[in-house]
Amino acid sequence: MQFYPPEYYDDARNGFTAIKTVPLASAMGAEILNVDVANITDEQFTQVEKALYHYKMIFFRNQQNMTIDDQEALTLRFGDFGTDAYTDGIEGHPNVQRLIKEASTVVDWIFGDGWHTDSPFMEQPPAVSMLQSLDIPPYGGDTWWSNTELAYNLLSEKMKDVIADLRVHMSAAWVLSNVNKGKPKLNDLSVGEIELTMNQKKMVEGWFHPLVRTHPVTGNKSLFCDTSYSMGIEGMTQDESRPLLDFLGEWATREDFNCRLRWEPHMLVIWDNRQCLHKAFNDYDGYRREMIRTIVNGETPV
Ligand code: OGA
Ligand code: MN
């Protein structure tokens, strides 16, 4: 099976002249070659942005030159910094989050666990997220993504009609119950080394968003639904909404809609939260993993 015709992956056809793309999987994801991110040109950036919307997730290898300042500068080319609901950022860089799991840390729930789109419980969830890898375990710690535009497109026309006008309640209730599980008191908010400084009440209240959202740049529709934050559907009872959300959440992460990245140190990964879901793996106890994370402010989904 092929989801897209061969020309979908053709750099010349896509106008990628200043970069080279190497698809990671049939459904989504691509490595970008010939770019030194710390010294990216305007022409390259325009094509990188287009490649991101095309492939949903893109990555660059061997970006040893890249500093935190470079990542901030690249993030700002996409738009303003997004506000992270979970952390305050690091000293001197309030818009940069450091994701660390130490070798000695053993937790049931890691940052990014469970299929999700970033912070959809906010009125304006981040449009784009970026991770730069500093320390990577020798095995494990991969990240998975899933293409929610493809997931929407491959629904039957009847199902598309059924869900067209529905609004999904996005809330952090279930995720926070996992973060808090086994902790002696509710205010001990941490995931391993990562101190969480968030407004839990607001995150649980969450927000209602269109279940089918339209990308502000490409105009393409995608399924805005995950198995971590999608808690209900406006106007429906839980008995009614749960089976539908369970189906859509499973469907959105069907194996062949995925790509999976085996990290190396000094990679930079960028993904579009409006067109894909992602998930971290908690399978590298005994090894350290460290990422530098930034997010781009998003629009209110329509
Ligand atoms: C994130 C996230 C996944 C990972 O940064 O939003 O979900 O594998 N990360 O670290
Ligand atoms: Mn995430």
Side-chain angles (χ1 to χ4, degrees):
M1 179 168 53
Q2 276 292 349
F3 296 117
Y4 299 106
E7 56 270 24
Y8 189 84
Y9 311 92
D10 185 334
D11 279 351
R13 172 192 165 272
N14 292 325
F16 299 149
T17 50
I19 63 173
K20 181 171 160 51
T21 78
V22 182
L24 177 61
S26 163
M28 67 174 300
E31 179 172 3
I32 309 292
L33 301 180
N34 304 340
V35 178
D36 174 7
V37 174
N39 295 296
I40 191 168
T41 65
D42 290 345
E43 186 191 20
Q44 284 177 325
F45 177 74
T46 304
Q47 296 181 16
V48 161
E49 189 174 19
K50 192 170 172 211
L52 173 65
Y53 302 147
H54 193 70
Y55 290 111
K56 325 307 184 211
M57 167 280 203
I58 54 174
F59 70 99
F60 308 78
R61 266 182 236 269
N62 298 322
Q63 300 298 322
Q64 277 84 351
N65 279 339
M66 219 182 140
T67 62
I68 291 182
D69 292 345
D70 292 327
Q71 184 168 338
E72 287 175 325
L74 183 71
T75 309
L76 288 171
R77 280 187 179 245
F78 284 94
D80 294 338
F81 288 119
T83 308
D84 186 65
Y86 285 95
T87 67
D88 273 345
I90 61 178
E91 222 184 307
H93 300 271
N95 295 298
V96 174
Q97 298 103 47
R98 197 185 285 274
L99 305 186
I100 301 182
K101 186 174 172 294
E102 295 294 354
S104 57
T105 300
V106 177
V107 285
D108 286 339
W109 185 264
I110 55 168
F111 192 92
D113 224 325
W115 280 109
H116 66 283
T117 174
D118 283 337
S119 302
F121 47 80
M122 294 166 67
E123 182 180 2
Q124 300 191 320
V128 169
S129 303
M130 234 180 255
L131 288 180
Q132 181 187 168
S133 55
L134 297 184
D135 220 355
I136 291 299
Y139 55 84
D142 292 2
T143 307
W144 261 3
W145 286 265
S146 197
N147 182 340
T148 50
E149 182 187 299
L150 203 52
Y152 174 76
N153 286 340
L154 293 182
L155 288 171
S156 66
E157 293 307 314
K158 207 40 124 185
M159 181 56 98
K160 286 180 189 167
D161 288 346
V162 168
I163 65 174
D165 297 320
L166 300 182
R167 294 176 72 77
V168 56
H169 181 211
M170 297 291 202
S171 153
W174 184 73
V175 168
L176 290 181
S177 75
N178 279 297
V179 169
N180 287 321
K181 200 161 22 186
K183 302 276 177 64
K185 56 182 191 311
L186 203 68
N187 290 331
D188 169 22
L189 286 176
S190 59
V191 179
E193 286 66 40
I194 307 172
E195 285 299 324
L196 304 180
T197 52
M198 57 217 185
N199 181 339
Q200 292 196 74
K201 190 166 171 285
K202 230 173 140 200
M203 291 169 68
V204 170
E205 271 171 23
W207 206 266
F208 287 84
H209 290 301
L211 187 54
V212 178
R213 69 182 292 186
T214 304
H215 195 276
V217 179
T218 67
N220 294 338
K221 290 181 176 175
S222 59
L223 209 47
F224 199 46
C225 175
D226 66 12
T227 48
S228 295
Y229 295 117
S230 304
M231 289 292 139
I233 292 176
E234 196 172 52
M236 284 190 183
T237 64
Q238 276 291 307
D239 285 348
E240 292 167 339
S241 64
R242 205 57 260 166
L244 181 56
L245 290 174
D246 287 345
F247 160 69
L248 293 173
E250 287 295 317
W251 174 258
T253 57
R254 215 177 81 168
E255 282 90 341
D256 48 4
F257 299 161
N258 301 167
C259 71
R260 176 172 180 154
L261 185 71
R262 168 86 284 264
W263 288 90
E264 296 164 8
H266 306 293
M267 275 183 170
L268 177 75
V269 176
I270 310 175
W271 68 88
D272 185 337
N273 280 300
R274 300 161 296 193
Q275 316 190 80
C276 67
L277 303 177
H278 61 282
K279 159 193 167 74
F281 269 84
N282 189 6
D283 62 349
Y284 52 96
D285 285 357
Y287 297 102
R288 189 172 190 279
R289 185 176 188 266
E290 178 176 0
M291 302 280 183
I292 300 290
R293 179 176 188 271
T294 48
I295 51 175
V296 180
N297 194 33
E299 60 289 327
T300 304
V302 289

